[in-house]
């Protein structure tokens, strides 16, 4: 069905439909016969009900918003062939869609006065109709707007002006503005006009919605009490959406500087743009695996010298030296592990905030956000962000945004610094202690504990259990190319814990003697999926098959509300050389001379996802929870992060 | 690999060979002095779960193993020191939680946790504290002494914890004067007691909807909630049939069948090992729970796990009826990962001392084998238990 696409061409694509808004195409594709519509009186109101296909917009819940403005122009380009064909018989039932009504007061009855925005859309159904009408009905209110019967052709503007006297003050302002917009539009070609007018209307609506949200719906005309009640809810949600959108708009210019954290790297134009902005110059690897083309992969070793060189040519306001240093260390691989990276980043931010002073004409919280954004984009260039870092950045930004404007600069800075300090202490360091306390209760005498790779939380658990005098043995499973397990092995053996070291190939053999599997995680997603170092899923699956409980230790700040089903869509690609070559062993480096062969694609994944079925328990700072409870924690945690200040 | 597994080591640690041979059938001469200690305060050391003693006393199941148990309690237990210390503290103070608790506990219909909740409420009532902090610490010590009275009872521990959470979870205390705060404490405490007391009725109303005419229900153990559900269903003229397991070792199934026969529900008794045999004629399985743990699984009388496994294999729904005060912040990973609750078993014949006996009284059923939980919070899927617990405790 082509007409599914039709509304898209009309709607400003930036409007996202969230919540319970009825998507416009749904009702479009399921045309209701006029008799079944929820407001039969409307069809009576239609002046030319018989010949004209009555364009009805019977929103099931929001009857007062009925507007039908079939204007003259026949937007055939918007119609699917089918629709055009059945133009007379099909009665597209316009859905109520707050975003398309978008007008200052969705709860306001007078929104019909701004029919510019809905106008062009209405025309879809009534393309064949001769006259336009503005029909409105109120189910309960008893207030009815006079039905405007207008001759065809672009009636929208005149409707606006004719109705303006009714408008309450605030709305009046807006409609003046909007009229300006539409006036300008009339000089332009039709196609242009619709879209522009819409965009215009949307912007106003957003502004108004914001105002309404702030002023407690002061704009809303209260004549239609009951309906208003129904709509207030909507209004609020619309307002919320729009508020967000408005903020987006404001940030738009700034956002241009920041590449999207999950940019699709198979989009050539975007990559091009991103490259122009990039501070770090890096060349991309040529032969990439088809499925992973959307992920960035750079040739190793090209960035670091360049960056080091560039350090002395920095202009003062782009990247703070502390951030620069951290970025370099990410790049070199000096700092790895979710917690270490996150703490390093936060401390760099602290340092930069300490030395920050707002430019005279700018507000601190706006300018600082921009600063942080530019730092973050630099860090992304060095190494893609981990989810834990993303959460920490979100935290810092909300804290900056929530700073009271009354604070002086030094107070604000002190406030921020202590907030970040608290975050590091409570969410990372203290959280780890709590996790250790919970986890040692699951270690019994005689246990054989298996871990994969090197997780700081798991290491602490082992050490603490050892301190408590529990008798247990540790199996460390490791894998090429990073061989992180060796460091862990060294530290554990140094403390006198009896360890076994195997490579991941031997997992299935060793698993039979294991009684518990402890794993770290880079992140835990809302469906309980564990996002962790590549190989974790394999270990967890083998453990599950052998009936060994799998325990994932992860601080709650690493939880994310995203859902991920595979490890393809979001991942990080490592250096392909790392798997094609073995350093120091020339006799096995058979791929040396064909590394650039286009038939050879090397894939060095960094992360993988473990489905929640294989996880018996997740230990967080909120206690031991089943993987199904991750969304609960995410909900509570977010609440705390956003509202408590 | 069993010799390498930790559970084996655990078994060895936990079951020190007992000196006396296991003539668990008591000599008849002891029948006379088997007046069960009205205030049994068993040490965790003596391997008998107080929880099951209470239950046995309530159910009036005076079987030979119960007698043995009582005898063991009399013989082996030198009057435990904690008991005397409590007594002495009781003599200093006019009020003792444990006594209050025991008073409540004597009512056969009252669950242990509800008795504890009532006892804690009366702690508040009779408290002579002058500040909120004092009152809170008094409550804390009372609930601690209740919890230590019997560590094996999950519902007692969970009930005390929940009570503490429930009544102290108002932030308005700081702004009030002491008396109004205290009365609010009391109000909340009584409300909580009331909720807990009514829980069984609510569950019965919710649960009986799942019983349809002509269905066959398998029941394991003696659960007062399940009995209430079945009674409610029978009262609303539903026609159904119940299969009762025997419920070794304390034969709770016999008593359950007895209760059902009183309300004219057709009952059939099975020995515990006949569950798989008769599962194909069963439409649903109803069990109670000693405790509901954070994973959504349940800890219940020994045998529940295998019934749930069989039911899962044969695609029969397993319904659990449990009051919300049994929700505990525990997360067992496997069967051995629990506070051991032992119960002597009467085999009817002497058992050589070299032979080990598995005396554990309960097992853990993981959530994937359960279909729904009927609680006073509503009918929940197992995964919701954790949500409720997080919201209660965080």
């Amino acid at each position: 069905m082509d007409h599914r696409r039709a509304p898209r061409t009309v709607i400003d694509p930036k409007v996202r439909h969230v919540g319970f808004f009825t998507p416009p195409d749904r009702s479009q594709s399921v045309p209701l016969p006029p008799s079944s519509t929820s407001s039969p009186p409307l069809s009576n109101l239609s002046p030319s009900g018989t010949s004209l296909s009555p364009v009805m917009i019977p929103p099931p819940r929001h009857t007062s918003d009925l507007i039908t403005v079939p204007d003259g122009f026949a937007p055939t380009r918007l119609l699917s062939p089918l629709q055009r064909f059945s133009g007379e018989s099909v009665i597209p039932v316009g859905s109520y869609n707050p975003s398309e009504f978008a007008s200052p007061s969705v709860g306001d009855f007078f929104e019909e006065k701004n029919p510019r925005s809905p106008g062009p859309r209405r025309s879809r159904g009534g393309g064949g109709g001769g006259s336009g009408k503005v029909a409105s009905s109120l189910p309960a209110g008893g207030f009815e707007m006079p039905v405007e019967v207008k001759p065809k052709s672009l009636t929208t503007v005149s409707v606006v002006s004719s109705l303006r006297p009714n408008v309450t003050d605030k709305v009046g302002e807006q409609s003046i503005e909007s009229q300006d917009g539409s006036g300008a539009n009339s000089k332009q070609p039709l196609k242009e006009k619709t879209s522009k007018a819409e965009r215009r209307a949307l912007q106003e609506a957003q502004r108004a919605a914001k105002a309404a949200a702030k002023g407690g719906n002061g704009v809303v005309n209260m004549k239609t009490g009951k309906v208003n009640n129904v709509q207030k809810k909507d209004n609020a949600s619309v307002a919320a959406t729009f508020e967000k959108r408005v903020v987006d708009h404001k940030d738009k210019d700034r956002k241009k500087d920041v590449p999207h954290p999950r940019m699709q790297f198979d989009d050539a134009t975007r990559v091009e743009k991103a490259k122009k902005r990039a501070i770090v110059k890096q060349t991309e690897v040529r032969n990439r695996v088809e499925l992973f083309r959307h992920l960035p992969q750079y040739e190793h070793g090209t960035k670091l010298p360049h960056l080091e060189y560039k350090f002395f040519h920095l202009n003062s306001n782009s990247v703070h030296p502390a951030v620069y240093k951290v970025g370099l260390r990410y790049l070199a691989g000096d700092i790895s592990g979710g917690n270490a990276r996150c703490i390093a980043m936060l401390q760099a931010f602290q340092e930069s905030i300490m030395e920050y002073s707002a430019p005279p004409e700018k507000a601190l919280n706006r300018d600082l956000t921009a600063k942080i954004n530019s730092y973050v984009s630099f860090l992304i260039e060095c190494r893609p962000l981990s989810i834990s870092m993303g959460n920490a950045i979100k935290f810092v930004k909300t804290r900056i945004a929530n700073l009271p404007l009354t604070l002086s600069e030094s107070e604000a800075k002190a406030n921020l610094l202590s907030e970040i300090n608290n975050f590091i202490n409570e969410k990372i360091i203290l959280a780890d202690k709590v996790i250790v306390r919970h986890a040692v209760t699951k270690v019994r005498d005689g246990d054989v504990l298996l871990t994969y790779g090197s997780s700081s939380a798991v290491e602490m658990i082992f050490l603490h259990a050892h301190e408590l005098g529990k008798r247990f043995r540790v199996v460390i499973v490791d894998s090429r190319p990073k061989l992180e397990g060796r460091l862990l092995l060294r530290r554990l053996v140094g403390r006198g814990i009896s360890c076994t070291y195997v490579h991941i190939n031997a997992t299935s053999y060793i698993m039979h003697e294991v009684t518990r599997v402890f794993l770290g995680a880079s992140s835990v997603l809302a469906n309980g999926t564990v996002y962790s170092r590549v190989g974790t899923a394999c270990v967890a699956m083998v453990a599950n098959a052998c009936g060994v409980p799998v325990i994932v230790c992860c601080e709650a700040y690493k939880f994310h509300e995203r859902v991920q089903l595979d490890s393809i869509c979001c991942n990080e690609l490592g250096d392909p050389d790392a798997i094609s070559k073995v350093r120091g062993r020339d006799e096995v480096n058979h791929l040396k001379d064909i590394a650039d062969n286009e038939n050879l694609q090397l894939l060095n994944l960094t992360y993988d996802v473990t489905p929640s079925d294989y996880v018996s328990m997740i230990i967080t700072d909120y206690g031991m929870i089943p993987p199904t409870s991750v969304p609960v924690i995410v909900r509570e945690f977010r609440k705390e992060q956003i509202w408590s200040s | 690999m069993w010799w390498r597994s930790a559970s084996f080591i655990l078994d060895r640690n936990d079951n020190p060979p007992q000196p006396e041979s296991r003539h668990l059938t008591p000599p008849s001469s002891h029948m006379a002095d088997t007046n069960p200690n009205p205030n049994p305060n068993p040490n965790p050391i003596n391997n008998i779960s107080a929880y099951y003693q209470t239950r046995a006393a309530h159910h009036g199941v005076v079987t030979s193993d119960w007698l043995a148990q009582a005898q063991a309690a009399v013989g082996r237990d030198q009057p435990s020191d904690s008991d005397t210390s409590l007594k002495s503290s009781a003599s200093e103070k006019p009020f003792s939680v444990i006594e209050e608790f025991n008073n409540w506990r004597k009512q056969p219909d009252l669950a242990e946790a509800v008795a504890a909740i009532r006892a804690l409420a009366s702690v508040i009532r009779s408290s002579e504290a002058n500040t909120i902090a004092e009152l809170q610490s008094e409550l804390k010590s009372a609930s601690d002494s209740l919890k230590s009275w019997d560590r094996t009872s999950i519902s007692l521990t969970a009930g005390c914890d929940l009570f503490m959470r429930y009544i102290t979870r108002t932030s308005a205390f700081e702004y009030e004067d002491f008396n109004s705060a205290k009365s609010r404490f009391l109000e909340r405490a009584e409300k909580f007691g009331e909720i807990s007391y009514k829980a069984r009725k609510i569950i019965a109303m919710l649960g009986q909807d799942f019983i349809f005419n002509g269905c066959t229900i398998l029941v394991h153990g003696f659960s007062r909630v399940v009995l209430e559900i079945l009674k409610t269903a029978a009262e609303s003229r539903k026609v159904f049939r119940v299969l009762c397991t025997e419920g070794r070792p304390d034969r709770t199934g016999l008593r359950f069948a007895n209760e059902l026969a009183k309300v004219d529900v057709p009952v059939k008794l099975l020995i515990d090992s006949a569950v798989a045999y008769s599962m194909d004629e069963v439409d649903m399985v109803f069990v109670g729970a000693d405790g509901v743990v954070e994973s959504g699984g349940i800890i219940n009388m020994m045998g529940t796990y295998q019934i749930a496994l069989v039911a899962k294999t044969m695609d029969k729904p397993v319904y659990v009826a449990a009051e919300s005060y049994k929700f505990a912040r525990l997360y067992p990973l496997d069967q051995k990962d629990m506070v051991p609750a032992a119960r002597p078993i009467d085999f009817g014949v002497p058992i050589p001392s070299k032979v080990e006996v598995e005396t554990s009284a309960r097992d853990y059923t993981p959530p994937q084998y359960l279909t729904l939980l009927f609680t006073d919070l509503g009918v929940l899927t197992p995964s919701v238990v954790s949500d409720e617990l997080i919201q209660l405790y965080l």
Side-chain angles (χ1 to χ4, degrees):
Chain A
M1 277 282 180
D2 204 358
H3 56 253
R4 279 182 189 279
R5 228 190 277 156
R8 282 232 163 146
T9 54
V10 187
I11 303 173
D12 190 317
K14 277 173 192 152
V15 177
R16 256 174 282 143
H17 301 278
V18 266
F20 45 81
F21 299 170
T22 328
D25 50 340
R26 200 206 303 157
S27 49
Q28 210 84 49
S29 57
V30 189
L32 297 171
S35 57
S36 75
T37 57
S38 63
S39 59
L42 187 65
S43 58
N44 299 338
L45 284 176
S46 146
S48 49
T50 46
S51 64
L52 169 80
S53 64
V55 184
M56 317 203 61
I57 302 108
R61 285 160 301 187
H62 318 278
T63 337
S64 79
D65 289 303
L66 295 176
I67 319 162
T68 44
V69 188
D71 43 357
F73 83 97
T76 32
R77 94 200 135 75
L78 301 176
L79 282 176
S80 70
L82 187 120
Q83 270 179 318
R84 228 178 300 148
F85 173 72
S86 56
E88 295 299 320
S89 57
V90 176
I91 301 141
V93 183
S95 64
Y96 168 67
N97 190 332
S99 59
E100 73 190 57
F101 287 87
S103 42
S105 37
V106 183
D108 185 0
F109 182 75
F110 283 108
E111 68 186 353
E112 278 96 337
K113 274 151 274 120
N114 283 342
R116 295 147 282 92
S117 64
R121 321 201 56 233
R122 293 291 98 60
S123 61
R124 234 176 297 134
S131 61
K133 67 184 161 65
V134 179
S136 58
S137 83
L138 276 173
F143 172 78
E144 288 232 342
M145 229 180 84
V147 175
E148 291 270 327
V149 182
K150 278 271 166 184
K152 61 153 86 185
S153 90
L154 289 170
T155 61
T156 50
V157 176
S158 52
V159 171
V160 173
S161 43
S162 70
L163 281 174
R164 193 136 36 90
N166 290 345
V167 180
T168 54
D169 286 343
K170 276 194 179 175
V171 180
E173 262 175 42
Q174 276 145 2
S175 44
I176 289 169
E177 268 183 283
S178 58
Q179 207 206 0
D180 293 347
S182 40
N185 285 340
S186 60
K187 288 160 205 154
Q188 287 170 359
L190 209 56
K191 183 184 168 190
E192 283 261 333
K193 169 182 204 148
T194 57
S195 62
K196 242 199 175 161
E198 280 224 355
R199 232 175 286 147
R200 183 80 205 207
L202 272 173
Q203 276 183 355
E204 283 157 25
Q206 290 154 7
R207 229 169 284 150
K210 201 184 170 195
K214 268 187 196 155
N217 286 352
V219 195
V220 175
N221 186 327
M222 295 306 285
K223 267 182 197 164
T224 59
K226 200 172 177 185
V227 185
N228 268 333
N229 277 347
V230 179
Q231 290 178 340
K232 248 180 211 165
K233 233 188 279 166
D234 262 42
N235 203 3
S237 69
V238 172
T241 345
F242 282 137
E243 203 165 5
K244 208 174 148 211
R245 295 222 36 80
V246 170
V247 173
D248 280 359
H249 277 300
K250 274 181 200 147
D251 280 7
K252 209 156 92 189
D253 299 339
R254 232 173 283 136
K255 282 238 170 96
K256 269 181 190 158
D257 300 336
V258 187
H260 191 266
R262 280 188 289 146
M263 194 173 77
Q264 301 294 299
F265 278 77
D266 44 358
D267 187 340
T269 53
R270 289 203 182 166
V271 172
E272 215 38 58
K273 275 186 201 160
K275 259 191 187 161
K276 273 183 208 156
R277 289 192 301 263
I279 299 173
V280 189
K281 187 165 261 164
Q282 24 199 358
T283 36
E284 282 196 53
V285 166
R286 273 194 302 127
N287 297 341
R288 281 187 289 167
V289 180
E290 184 57 42
L291 215 47
F292 292 90
R293 271 184 197 281
H294 60 286
L295 300 172
Q297 186 171 33
Y298 301 112
E299 259 170 31
H300 197 64
T302 54
K303 313 188 258 188
L304 200 51
H306 179 80
L307 263 185
E308 277 167 352
Y309 155 78
K310 209 168 168 193
F311 180 75
F312 301 101
H313 301 266
L314 277 179
N315 52 352
S316 57
N317 53 2
S318 70
V319 176
H320 190 273
V323 179
Y324 203 86
K325 193 171 96 188
V326 170
L328 282 180
R329 294 179 71 193
Y330 287 166
L331 200 52
D334 282 357
I335 308 178
S336 63
N339 287 342
R341 278 169 72 192
C342 193
I343 291 176
M345 179 189 73
L346 287 175
Q347 281 169 346
F349 282 173
Q350 275 185 317
E351 210 166 310
S352 71
I353 289 171
M354 235 181 284
E355 290 170 24
Y356 168 84
S357 63
E361 73 279 13
K362 282 178 181 166
L364 175 127
N365 42 10
R366 300 289 160 86
D367 189 58
L368 196 54
T369 312
K371 266 274 192 292
I372 297 284
N373 277 342
S374 70
Y375 297 161
V376 169
S377 70
F378 167 75
L379 292 179
I380 292 174
E381 282 164 28
C382 293
R383 189 180 160 183
L385 294 183
S386 66
I387 291 174
S388 55
M389 288 162 75
N391 283 342
I393 291 167
K394 215 184 285 170
F395 166 82
V396 173
K397 282 194 196 167
T398 36
R399 281 295 176 267
I400 294 175
N402 287 348
L403 279 179
L405 290 170
T406 50
L407 285 186
S408 74
E409 191 176 299
S410 59
E411 279 171 334
K413 275 160 65 180
N415 190 338
L416 268 182
L417 292 179
S418 75
E419 290 275 9
I420 294 176
N421 246 340
N422 284 350
F423 185 88
I424 296 176
N425 284 332
E426 282 172 23
K427 300 292 178 199
I428 304 178
I429 295 171
L430 214 62
D432 272 334
K433 286 196 179 132
V434 177
I435 288 174
V436 167
R437 215 184 60 212
H438 282 297
V440 281
T441 62
K442 294 295 164 199
V443 179
R444 300 172 302 193
D445 277 350
D447 259 344
V448 180
L449 313 175
L450 182 141
T451 186
Y452 174 73
S454 168
S455 155
S456 55
V458 172
E459 181 182 347
M460 279 188 265
I461 292 166
F462 291 164
L463 293 180
H464 188 63
H466 184 66
E467 277 166 22
L468 292 182
K470 302 208 175 192
R471 285 174 288 126
F472 62 95
R473 197 153 66 80
V474 174
V475 177
I476 295 174
V477 180
D478 207 355
S479 74
R480 284 232 336 119
K482 293 218 166 179
L483 297 174
E484 291 162 313
R486 291 184 177 183
L487 278 174
L488 177 66
L489 181 70
R490 207 187 152 78
R491 290 190 289 256
L492 291 188
V493 170
R495 292 295 196 89
I497 300 175
S498 126
C499 291
T500 307
Y501 180 76
V502 297
H503 269 205
I504 195 165
N505 328 17
T507 315
S508 58
Y509 167 76
I510 204 87
M511 196 58 84
H512 290 285
E513 56 187 83
V514 171
T515 56
R516 297 269 190 276
V517 174
F518 281 92
L519 297 173
S522 170
S523 174
V524 179
L525 309 176
N527 55 346
T529 301
V530 176
Y531 184 73
S532 188
R533 169 74 58 207
V534 68
T536 305
C538 169
V539 172
M541 285 176 197
V542 173
N544 185 65
C546 294
V548 182
V550 177
I551 300 162
V552 171
C553 308
C554 182
E555 300 85 355
Y557 85 102
K558 290 178 177 175
F559 286 18
H560 199 273
E561 67 265 20
R562 198 192 327 147
V563 165
Q564 199 171 322
L565 300 174
D566 55 42
S567 39
I568 299 167
C569 64
C570 183
N571 209 321
E572 192 182 326
L573 296 182
D575 178 21
D577 277 352
I579 53 170
S580 65
K581 289 174 191 153
V582 184
R583 214 179 299 150
R585 287 192 61 193
D586 260 347
E587 71 274 17
V588 290
N589 284 341
H590 307 297
L591 299 177
K592 200 167 37 178
D593 46 338
I594 57 163
D596 286 337
N597 191 318
E598 62 186 24
N599 289 326
L600 172 66
Q601 293 168 339
L602 296 163
L603 177 64
N604 180 9
L605 277 181
T606 310
Y607 295 106
D608 66 11
V609 297
T610 310
S612 60
D613 302 354
Y614 304 114
V615 179
S616 323
M617 172 200 281
I618 295 173
I619 302 184
T620 77
D621 26 336
Y622 294 106
M624 298 180 274
I625 59 164
T628 50
S629 287
V630 176
V632 186
I633 296 284
V634 170
R635 203 171 61 213
E636 304 286 315
F637 180 53
R638 290 284 171 274
K639 229 193 281 167
E640 186 181 309
Q641 206 179 71
I642 293 167
W643 297 114
S644 78
S645 53
Chain B
M1 300 282 173
W2 59 271
W3 63 90
R4 278 201 285 186
S5 83
S7 63
F8 173 61
I9 295 166
L10 207 76
D11 281 350
R12 273 191 308 201
N13 291 344
D14 281 358
N15 297 321
Q18 291 177 358
E20 68 264 56
S21 74
R22 288 160 183 264
H23 288 277
L24 289 175
T25 33
S28 57
S29 64
H30 280 273
M31 285 293 264
D33 56 27
T34 50
N35 167 34
N37 185 359
N39 186 7
N41 187 6
N43 260 317
I45 314 154
N46 71 9
N47 265 350
I48 299 167
S49 159
Y51 181 68
Y52 288 98
Q53 287 185 0
T54 313
R55 286 180 66 93
H58 277 180
H59 300 165
V61 198
V62 182
T63 53
S64 48
D65 52 327
W66 163 241
L67 296 178
Q69 179 181 305
Q71 176 211 344
V74 172
R76 205 186 315 160
D77 238 18
Q78 46 279 50
S80 64
D81 47 349
S82 63
D83 196 6
T84 51
S85 73
L86 277 167
K87 281 274 158 58
S88 65
S89 69
S91 63
E92 285 160 23
K93 270 195 290 179
F95 179 78
S96 145
V97 204
I98 303 288
E99 273 173 20
E100 184 74 21
F101 172 59
N102 281 332
N103 284 340
W104 284 111
R105 206 164 53 93
K106 278 180 198 140
Q107 297 189 14
D109 266 351
L110 212 58
E112 211 175 48
V114 179
I117 288 162
R118 294 257 162 105
L120 285 175
S122 50
V123 168
I124 302 178
R125 207 173 292 124
S126 63
S127 160
E128 285 155 5
N130 294 319
T131 60
I132 293 286
E134 215 174 313
L135 181 59
Q136 270 180 342
S137 76
E138 211 167 287
L139 261 184
K140 181 93 178 42
S141 66
S143 100
D144 281 349
S145 67
L146 268 182
K147 280 195 269 183
S148 62
W149 182 83
D150 179 7
R151 296 207 174 279
T152 55
S153 167
I154 298 163
S155 66
L156 180 63
T157 314
C160 287
D161 284 349
L162 283 175
F163 177 86
M164 295 298 289
R165 287 300 302 185
Y166 186 82
I167 66 154
T168 53
R169 232 174 74 157
T170 28
S171 51
F173 285 139
E174 301 96 65
Y175 309 112
E176 290 179 275
D177 66 301
F178 175 71
N179 281 332
S180 66
K182 187 176 167 184
S183 67
R184 181 178 294 214
F185 261 62
L186 205 57
E187 191 183 299
R188 285 179 77 85
E190 250 138 40
K191 192 162 162 237
F192 189 68
E194 200 63 19
I195 291 171
S196 311
Y197 183 65
K198 284 186 182 151
R200 214 176 277 162
K201 281 266 181 287
I202 298 169
I203 295 169
M205 290 313 295
L206 289 172
Q208 59 112 12
D209 285 343
F210 286 77
I211 297 173
F212 52 89
N213 272 327
C215 68
T216 305
I217 301 166
L218 178 72
V219 174
H220 181 66
F222 188 100
S223 159
R224 283 171 287 192
V225 197
V226 172
L227 184 62
E228 191 76 36
I229 293 175
L230 296 180
K231 272 184 179 168
T232 316
E235 275 161 19
S236 54
R237 306 260 169 76
K238 288 193 176 167
V239 181
F240 59 95
R241 188 165 74 110
V242 177
L243 304 187
C244 271
T245 56
E246 181 196 1
R248 287 268 292 149
D250 50 8
R251 310 217 184 115
T252 47
L254 297 180
R255 187 177 143 77
F256 199 83
N258 197 12
E259 291 285 330
L260 284 177
K262 279 186 202 160
V263 288
D264 290 333
V265 174
V267 193
K268 191 178 179 183
L269 267 174
L270 313 169
I271 53 170
D272 290 336
S273 33
V275 167
Y277 169 81
S278 31
M279 189 56 87
D280 61 344
E281 56 178 303
V282 168
D283 291 308
M284 61 190 76
V285 178
F286 266 86
V287 288
D290 288 359
V292 181
V293 297
E294 184 133 29
S295 62
I298 56 165
I299 294 173
N300 196 28
M301 179 188 160
M302 187 63 92
T304 309
Y305 182 34
Q306 64 199 25
I307 289 176
L309 278 174
V310 172
K312 171 87 175 172
T313 319
M314 298 203 173
D315 289 331
K316 311 288 181 185
V318 179
Y319 298 131
V320 179
E323 300 90 335
S324 63
Y325 56 75
K326 286 178 176 166
F327 285 19
R329 288 215 88 182
L330 298 171
Y331 201 132
L333 283 167
D334 51 39
Q335 301 299 329
K336 301 286 156 75
D337 193 11
M338 292 185 285
V339 180
R343 177 168 49 176
I345 299 165
D346 170 20
F347 287 97
V349 288
I351 293 174
S353 58
K354 281 180 188 167
V355 176
E356 263 192 81
V357 178
E358 175 64 66
T359 52
S360 177
R362 53 198 180 197
D363 59 16
Y364 163 63
T365 310
Q368 60 262 38
Y369 303 109
L370 307 177
T371 315
L372 288 174
L373 296 150
F374 304 150
T375 73
D376 44 319
L377 305 171
V379 179
L380 313 176
T381 59
S383 60
V384 182
V385 174
S386 168
D387 298 12
E388 294 291 342
L389 278 170
I390 289 170
Q391 281 174 3
L392 274 170
Y393 281 98
L394 296 184

